Every structure is written in structure tokens, then in C-alpha cells.
Amino acid sequence: GETGQVHSFEPVKEYFQRLNNLLGANKEYHVVANRCAVGDEERTASIAVTSLPNIGWNTMVPDFMSQETIKQRVEVPTCRLDRYIREKALRRISLIKIDTEGFEFPVLKGLSGYFEETRDRPRIICEIAPEAYPLLGSTLGQLREYMEQHGYRAFSLIDLDAEIDITKLEKTTDVGFMPSWS
């Protein structure tokens, strides 16, 4: 709405420019665009940019995208969300949406400082790509344990009353992580 804020992260230059054009046409909203990727480290990382019409299918997970669909690889800066939240003095965060084509676990790990500093827990809508976990050297069990450790349970976005076991996911699925406490 007109009183809230959105903080957006887009590392690919051409898509960041499209985002800025969109924001320029909607000046009544408070959107902060950041030209970086998010993860669990502050560094430079490689992102595979797709040649497919789906411009959102870009990934930082090595070997997750087939070679024939990679248009280019781009080096991009990454930031941690916990540091970003602290530096921007963001309060009353109500929702975090993560759609990073398999890189969601590093993004969530980049929130660990925020989780440790506050009991406030925003809802998190997160696309989970099970096929990416072996490529990152992690498991869905580790993701579930991490989220439970920080006070979250996973729910279906189709039926918000239906808690789900993310370790049983076989295909890319949108999940709602709901805080166990508020």
C-alpha cells in the first residue's frame, strides 16, 4: 500500500533497469530497489541468466540450469538480509518473499542475525526447489531444521491450515513459513 515499503533485490543489470522503469511509473509507492543478490555471504557470485522467455529463471545454483538455456553468466554482488535490515533500521517487517530458483536456503541463512536479534517473525513465502539442494551441498532436512530453530513451521499456500513436511517435497513448490510465535 501507500504507507508500507517494499525492498526489492534484483542482481541482473537489464532486469534491474526494468524494475526501475516500473518504479518510475508508480512513484506513489515506497519501493527500494537494490541491485544485488541476497545470500549468506557478502561477496561476488556468478548468476546464470536464461535465454528462455521466463526472465525470472536465473539462478546462482551451480549446474542447476541446463547449459543450452544459459544466455550468459554474470558476476553480481551479494548481500545478507540481516545486515541490510540492520543498516536500514527496518522494523515491523510483515512479509518476506523469496523466489531465487534454488538459492533460497542461502538467502534464509543470511537472515540468521535478524532471527537471533529479534523475536519478531514475519511470514515468509518461499519457493523451494528440492533439486538444487544436492548441488549446494545441503538437504531439505537441514532447511527444515534451520527454520524450526528460528521458530517457523511450513504450510501449504493452497491450504494455510495444512502443515507440510518440506523434506517430502519432490518438485519446486511455494511454501508459507509461518512463525510459531509472534
Side-chain angles (χ1 to χ4, degrees):
E2 293 181 15
T3 60
Q5 295 179 359
V6 172
H7 293 259
S8 177
F9 300 84
E10 175 52 64
V12 178
K13 182 179 179 179
E14 64 189 278
Y15 303 137
F16 181 77
Q17 187 56 50
R18 288 174 79 168
L19 175 61
N20 272 326
N21 292 343
L22 180 65
L23 299 180
N26 294 280
K27 292 180 193 241
E28 68 274 18
Y29 297 103
H30 305 283
V31 180
V32 178
N34 296 277
R35 188 168 169 231
C36 64
V38 289
D40 57 349
E41 296 180 71
E42 303 223 347
R43 62 184 174 99
T44 300
S46 178
I47 186 167
V49 179
T50 186
S51 62
L52 299 174
N54 177 1
I55 65 170
W57 173 222
N58 304 305
T59 185
M60 293 192 341
V61 178
D63 302 319
F64 192 42
M65 185 186 299
S66 66
Q67 292 299 319
E68 58 271 4
T69 61
I70 297 175
K71 176 172 73 174
Q72 63 180 330
R73 291 186 188 278
V74 180
E75 294 298 309
V76 298
T78 64
C79 68
R80 290 180 57 96
L81 283 177
D82 53 9
R83 183 173 176 188
Y84 180 87
I85 291 167
R86 190 172 31 256
E87 287 176 356
K88 300 291 183 185
L90 301 180
R91 302 286 178 258
R92 296 179 34 218
I93 298 168
S94 59
L95 177 70
I96 295 173
K97 181 174 184 308
I98 302 169
D99 185 347
T100 55
E101 307 310 319
F103 206 69
E104 62 276 356
F105 196 16
V107 172
L108 288 162
K109 286 196 269 186
L111 280 162
S112 62
Y114 172 72
F115 292 150
E116 291 164 8
E117 293 168 6
T118 181
R119 288 187 53 86
D120 292 336
R121 294 289 183 268
R123 291 177 173 92
I124 299 173
I125 296 174
C126 184
E127 181 185 75
I128 298 175
E131 305 87 1
Y133 283 69
L135 299 171
L136 291 171
S138 58
T139 67
L140 291 172
Q142 290 171 315
L143 172 63
R144 179 180 66 189
E145 183 179 311
Y146 175 83
M147 294 306 288
E148 287 175 352
Q149 171 188 344
H150 292 295
Y152 282 95
R153 297 181 354 222
F155 289 85
S156 164
L157 288 183
I158 297 168
D159 177 2
L160 291 176
D161 291 325
E163 190 167 352
I164 60 172
D165 181 353
I166 61 173
T167 65
K168 305 270 191 257
L169 296 177
E170 295 179 1
K171 63 180 183 171
T172 299
T173 305
D174 289 324
V175 170
F177 284 110
M178 304 297 283
S180 301
W181 67 82
S182 299

